[in-house]
Amino acid sequence: MEPGSVENLSIVYRSSDFLVVNKHWDLRIDSKTWRETLTLQKQLRHRFPELADPDTCYGFRFCHQLDFSTSGALCVALNKAAAGSAYRCFKERRVTKAYLALVRGHVQESQMTISHAIGKNNTEGRTHTMCIEGTQGCENPKPSLTELVVLEHGLYAGSPASKVLLKPLTGRTHQLRVHCSALGHPIVGDLTYGQAEGQEDQPFRMMLHAFYLRIPTQAECVEACTPDPFLPSLDVCWSPHTLLQPLDQLVQALRAACDPDSMDSGPGPCSPSTLLPEPGRLPPETEAQRASCLQWLSEWTLEPDN
C-alpha cells in the first residue's frame, strides 16, 4: 500500500450494513482534534459523505480498533442494528481475526500457542505500554492467547526475519506486539516493544497487518481478506528464502473450518474457525469486562440482550 491520503481509501467488502476497509499504516481511526491531518474517519467522510451519521461521536460506527501503526481489515457498521449484531459477535468471541507480521529472527517452532498473561505497565515512563505477567511493574495481568504459524524465513535489511500468521484468541491491548516481543521475536519496526536498532536500520512502518476478518452476524457473514503487504515486490528489504507454510492454504483453512456448535444450533451465515488445535477454554467474562462492553455498546448500538 502507498502512504495514506484522503483520496485513496481502500474498500475490501461492502454491503448495505457494513464496510470493511484496508486501513493504511500510521493512520488514526478517528480524532476530534484539528491537529490530525488525516484519519480513517476523514477518508470515509470524503469518500462516503452520505453514510456519515451525525448522531455518532465520530460520524461512523467502528466495530473494533486497530493500532495507529497497524494496517489492514477494519469493519465499519452503517446503522445501529448492524453495529449491535457485530457487537454480539465480538462479545460472544465468534469473530475470527488473522494478522500477518514480519518478526525479527527465525522462529524455530513451525506453530505454537502463546499464552502469556498481559497487564498494564505501571513503571515510570512506560505507563502507556503493556507487559507480561511476572515482569516488573505488570499490573492486573489477564489471560491472553495468540496462535502463531511460521510462513517463511528470510532476511529483512540483511538481518534474520520470519513472516508469521498470528491469530489472537483474546483481545488485549497491544497483544500481538507484546506476545511476539515476549518470544524474543519482536515485530520489525515496532519501536515500543522491539529491540533497539540504529536509525538507519528502521523500516518505514511497523510490519503488522490485519490480514483476515470474519464477523458471522445473524443476517450476513462479513468476511474480508486483504492483500498481503509483505512481499519482496513491495518491499525490497524483505528477502524470503525458505517457505514453511503456504499462506493460501491457511486462508482456505480459515474459510473452511466448521463451527463446533453447528450440529446443535444449525449453520448460520458463516461460522467461526480455528487455525490450530484449541488450546483450552477461555476464562469467563468478568463483571468489569462486561461493564466496559455495555458502556461501549450503549454509545451507538442496539440495547444489549439481558
Side-chain angles (χ1 to χ4, degrees), residues 10-291:
S10 174
I11 306 297
V12 293
Y13 178 96
R14 184 177 182 182
S15 71
S16 60
D17 289 331
F18 294 99
L19 288 174
V20 178
V21 304
N22 187 12
K23 184 182 96 63
H24 286 83
W25 72 90
D26 289 359
L27 182 72
R28 297 192 188 283
I29 293 174
D30 49 43
S31 175
K32 285 188 170 182
T33 68
W34 59 268
R35 294 185 297 276
E36 292 295 340
T37 57
L38 181 66
T39 62
L40 177 56
Q41 166 198 9
K42 290 183 180 179
Q43 287 183 315
L44 286 166
R45 193 179 292 276
H46 177 82
R47 178 80 167 271
F48 303 108
E50 73 282 4
L51 298 181
D53 187 341
D55 293 333
T56 62
C57 186
Y58 296 104
F60 296 91
R61 298 176 173 89
F62 300 106
C63 296
H64 55 113
Q65 298 286 316
L66 290 178
D67 288 348
F68 167 75
S69 303
T70 304
S71 61
L74 189 139
C75 184
V76 182
L78 301 181
N79 54 69
K80 281 189 174 183
S85 63
Y87 162 78
R88 283 185 281 272
C89 289
F90 278 95
K91 180 178 180 295
E92 295 166 4
R93 295 178 176 146
R94 293 189 289 114
V95 174
T96 300
K97 296 180 182 179
Y99 293 70
L100 293 174
L102 296 181
V103 301
R104 296 199 177 274
H106 290 161
V107 183
Q108 294 305 307
E109 293 186 54
S110 60
Q111 63 181 47
M112 67 181 77
T113 298
I114 310 167
S115 58
H116 296 293
I118 294 175
K120 186 173 178 59
N121 193 338
N122 64 12
T123 304
E124 185 176 356
R126 299 285 294 177
T127 54
H128 64 291
T129 67
M130 309 298 286
C131 55
I132 62 170
E133 185 174 22
T135 58
Q136 183 177 0
C138 188
E139 181 179 280
N140 192 26
K142 298 178 181 178
S144 308
L145 296 172
T146 300
E147 293 177 345
L148 179 151
V149 178
V150 181
L151 303 172
E152 295 175 305
H153 286 160
L155 300 174
Y156 191 87
S159 298
S162 303
K163 184 175 179 177
V164 299
L165 187 99
L166 300 166
K167 184 181 172 189
L169 301 182
T170 50
R172 311 303 178 205
T173 301
H174 297 175
Q175 176 175 317
L176 302 181
R177 300 164 64 182
V178 172
H179 273 173
C180 287
S181 180
L183 283 181
H185 297 284
I187 294 172
V188 174
D190 187 349
L191 304 184
T192 301
Y193 300 102
Q195 298 167 336
E197 301 286 345
Q199 185 63 38
E200 67 279 2
D201 191 43
Q202 294 297 349
F204 64 96
R205 58 161 294 182
M206 183 176 71
M207 302 298 172
L208 179 62
H209 176 77
F211 174 64
Y212 177 86
L213 175 68
R214 178 163 57 182
I215 307 174
T217 72
Q218 197 66 28
E220 71 178 281
C221 176
V222 179
E223 184 178 40
C225 192
T226 58
D228 177 1
F230 306 136
L231 301 173
S233 59
L234 300 177
D235 186 353
V236 296
C237 290
W238 168 235
S239 177
H241 56 62
T242 305
L243 176 66
L244 285 86
Q245 175 73 50
L247 180 58
D248 57 352
Q249 290 184 9
L250 293 180
V251 173
Q252 292 174 18
L254 284 167
R255 287 176 166 161
C258 295
D259 182 352
D261 298 324
S262 61
M263 294 184 64
D264 298 326
S265 59
C270 64
S271 304
S273 64
T274 54
L275 184 60
L276 300 175
E278 186 176 349
R281 295 184 64 84
L282 295 174
E285 183 181 49
T286 66
E287 285 301 318
Q289 290 169 328
R290 175 172 172 77

